[in-house]
Amino acid sequence: MAKLPVSPEKIIEDFGPHLNFTPTEGYPGRDEPDATVKTHCCFCGMQCGIQLLVKNNKVVGFEPWMEFPFNEGRLCPKGVQRYLQDNHPDRLLDPLERVEGKGFKPVSWDTALDRVTAEIQRIQQAYGKDAFSILSGVSLTNEKSYLMGKFARVAVKTSNLDYNGRLCMVSAGAGNKKAFGLDRTSNNYTDLAHAEVIIVAGANVSETFPTLTYWIWRARDNGAKLIVVDPRVIPLARTADIHLPIKPGTDSALYGAMLKYLVDHDMLDHDFINNHTTGFDETIAAVKDYTLEWAEQVTGIEKEKIEQAAAMWGKASTSFLLHARGIEHHSKGVENVLGCINLVLATGRIGRPYCGYGTITGQGNGQGGREHGHKCDQLPGNRDITNPEHRKYIAGVWGIPESELPGKGLTAYELIEAIHRGEVKGLLSICFNPLVSLPNNNYVREALEKLEFYVAIDFFLNETARHADIILAGSLHEEEEGTVTTAEGRVVRIRAAVSPPANARTDTSIILDLAARLGAADKFTYKDSEAIFNELRIASKGGTANYYGITYKKIEDNMGVFWPCPSEDHPGTPRLWEDKKFATPDGKAHFNPVHYRDPGEVTDEEYPVVLTTGRVVSQYLSGTQTRRIGKLVGLIPEPLLEIHPELAMKYGIRQREMVKVSTRRGTGEFPANIVETIRKDTVFIPYHWPGRKSANQLTIGTLDPVSKIPEFKVCACKLEPLGVISRPGETTAFDSI
Ligand SMILES: Nc1nc2c(c(=O)[nH]1)N[C@H]1C(S)=C(S)[C@@H](COP(=O)(O)OP(=O)(O)OC[C@H]3O[C@@H](n4cnc5c(=O)[nH]c(N)nc54)[C@H](O)[C@@H]3O)O[C@H]1N2
Ligand SMILES: Nc1nc2c(c(=O)[nH]1)N[C@H]1C(S)=C(S)[C@@H](COP(=O)(O)OP(=O)(O)OC[C@H]3O[C@@H](n4cnc5c(=O)[nH]c(N)nc54)[C@H](O)[C@@H]3O)O[C@H]1N2
Ligand code: SF4
Ligand SMILES: [Mo]
């Protein structure tokens, strides 16, 4: 049975070499590169600066970019291997067409794009404009995100466009807009270094944002106290002052009880509450019965620990509260987020140096991509598609009558439901692998089989694209110019280090070509990515996510610019609300009452164990990219079922024994990893694998009523040992779906 490593040395042993990468002169045997290109990692929202080494139009290696202010050269295991996805033998080099029963054959771009155009037109003529849908993704740059929003509304003229951020940041986005009127982390991460108390709730920072750990360690060096809320003793929790091992799905009870403690002990910033907020009285009324005893019973955390955490938070003079998907992937994700924000507002620790709050954005361009219009309810600048003023402004920028701008469409999982109902008949996906990433994926597969036409744009043949009629060979991050916005809100430059190989094309040129074929050429006349960005600047002007003052040159000169940046002479805004003028209509920050309620599915006699899902350090999302990089596969070749020794003993499960895990949606088989670092009533499975290794065979499609995020973090399961010990390597990471 695995022992709990406790010493900081152990953590450094586990993750240190990757966190403190030392620049090298070059690799033995590597030719002198033709060029060194300063750009950013293609993976998570940290968007670490990196230099790619280029030889003969191929990325052949990397060097740290020591000057980039956030990561100062540090990279994680994915960052140091990311260059290996370039030149991969699986790279799509031609458009492909399905040959029924025989797989795919390469076709010319004209054949592929003509077929896509004809199918969009056929489906829309037969069933209406909204019968053709689009799913997009936020590994795409700001330029491409903006382009997809405009393409859907102006060229395809459908309201049914949504994106993979719907599985990621939307609960935080909705909570942030309700409370602050604006959706961005309040301070840049260097402010963490001087916070007295840091709460990290539902974020496995050491594995999912490894380079951010550095700033938490800086704070620890300066004496900061650390509180971690997670059902598992994640690496960050091993050295925390307080670890709150919460029962999945009960966060809002914890934050409610902590708020009541602050009120009962008058640990409040009355001046801030009175002058800069609304809704305090209703909010404390909602938690009046949330005693420590009640919270202990609901959350499974000892009441003394809750009390200690509340007191530690209440006494601090500076603090940072960070959360990620652990509290957001819930049918009450927005309520959990609001519960955290209430703690921040009650103590008035926002809009000041070293006092911050924020969700840690997940995907590479999760921040910028959620601002510029490929959400079904949103227009660029984080405008609202149902607001007449916002519609009028964007219709003006796009040169169409407002009446022609489609309205609000369906969210990602609701689109799958609409396909089942026969209302949606066609799909274009770009940068999204829903068959692996959406919950209840047997149901998703059935939907894909019902589509009359499906086209995917990707550089690898992902599991969903295997169901496509046409696949368009698109481009990698390092093959197009553009910008992304980091989790801090810093807009940075992505450089085209190389051009797409063989007959692959840039995503942008594919979309522009399709727009022209659909008869909208005059609305899509950009000569390059910078021209798209310059239109985005105008479209975002006056919105809450205001990029108007940001130019490519300004980004390059400053290694990034923080939005909001309303004019070209404005320096950008690393720290928000220092003037205490929040972005809400009344200029105040809003408390929101949160009443505790249960998750969508709770355990019972038949399904007695809580199942939660998430990530491991070496794999990224649906794994399309990282399951193709040998060294990353080698680190963690397959998903393991994390289970506590007592629970394992109850079922007679042995280390590495295959365990059948069943829920009301499906069944999977996973080798057990018996660890003391997880609650005794909960099991954890990472979700990066497809087919019978997929955690999403098991998860539930319950959605948050406001954000429509799926409840990936909690459902009920049962366990059955299969009597077979798994030997790593016997099963492959590419089992098809
Ligand atoms: N290595 C790696 N890094 C990544 C990614 C990746 O795929 N791989 N993806 C990126 C993206 S898009 C995202 S969104 C982020 C996600 O980053 P995180 O949110 O940090 O990742 P997860 O593993 O999904 O979940 C975080 C933690 O939530 C805990 N948890 C589960 N249920 C609950 C609950 O009910 N309450 C609380 N408080 N905690 C709970 C889990 O035990 C887990 O440790 O990571 C980004 N970085
Ligand atoms: N059970 C469970 N499920 C989850 C989660 C969980 O915690 N648990 N987390 C959810 C979260 S937070 C997220 S963000 C989603 C992510 O889910 P997805 O968005 O489906 O995951 P990706 O692997 O990013 O899929 C993106 C696809 O885009 C392609 N791609 C990447 N960059 C580009 C590009 O620049 N151009 C083009 N054309 N294609 C590109 C990749 O090759 C890949 O095939 O998964 C969600 N699903
Ligand atoms: S922390 Fe994120 S952005 Fe930085 S190297 Fe790792 S995956 Fe890339
Ligand atoms: Mo995400």
Side-chain angles (χ1 to χ4, degrees), residues 167-169 325 362-363 615 621:
L167 317 182
C168 189
M169 281 98 28
R325 306 308 84 76
Q363 295 142 305
R615 295 161 164 74
L621 303 180

Side-chain angles (χ1 to χ4, degrees), residues 114-293:
D114 282 346
R115 168 104 192 271
V116 175
T117 311
E119 290 285 356
I120 294 175
Q121 288 167 338
R122 180 187 67 75
I123 286 173
Q124 291 191 318
Q125 270 157 22
Y127 308 107
K129 293 282 181 204
D130 290 346
F132 197 88
S133 62
I134 298 179
L135 283 172
S136 183
V138 284
S139 293
L140 298 178
T141 56
N142 288 320
E143 291 74 3
K144 292 193 241 180
S145 300
Y146 173 80
L147 191 62
M148 286 311 297
K150 183 172 172 186
F151 172 73
R153 275 93 182 213
V154 175
V156 182
K157 302 186 166 75
T158 179
S159 65
N160 283 328
L161 157 77
D162 206 40
Y163 82 133
N164 61 3
R166 186 67 60 190
L167 317 182
C168 189
M169 281 98 28
V170 284
S171 295
N176 278 241
K177 280 182 95 171
K178 268 179 193 274
F180 304 115
L182 185 147
D183 173 19
R184 205 205 89 180
T185 192
S186 64
N187 302 43
N188 67 324
Y189 291 145
T190 50
D191 261 12
L192 270 167
H194 301 283
E196 262 180 42
V197 173
I198 299 174
I199 293 185
V200 176
N204 183 7
V205 180
S206 321
E207 296 205 59
T208 52
F209 308 105
T211 52
L212 177 58
T213 318
Y214 171 81
W215 292 103
I216 298 176
W217 285 348
R218 283 280 293 268
R220 299 287 273 159
D221 290 345
N222 292 329
K225 300 277 189 228
L226 177 63
I227 302 169
V228 171
V229 189
D230 200 297
R232 300 184 302 149
V233 190
I234 50 172
L236 197 67
R238 293 174 194 168
T239 58
D241 296 278
I242 303 177
H243 171 231
L244 303 176
I246 194 158
K247 181 170 182 184
T250 66
D251 283 79
S252 59
L254 171 67
Y255 310 130
M258 286 173 71
L259 180 64
K260 177 173 159 57
Y261 182 94
L262 298 178
V263 173
D264 290 350
H265 294 80
D266 197 18
M267 292 172 149
L268 301 169
D269 184 337
H270 293 284
D271 182 49
F272 178 82
I273 294 170
N274 293 337
N275 294 317
H276 304 298
T277 71
T278 64
F280 181 64
D281 293 338
E282 303 90 280
T283 300
I284 58 166
V287 300
K288 72 177 182 344
D289 299 327
Y290 292 2
T291 59
L292 296 171
E293 290 72 21

Side-chain angles (χ1 to χ4, degrees), residues 600-613:
E601 188 178 61
V602 290
T603 51
D604 55 22
E605 266 180 30
E606 201 184 346
Y607 295 96
V609 177
V610 179
L611 167 65
T612 191
T613 62

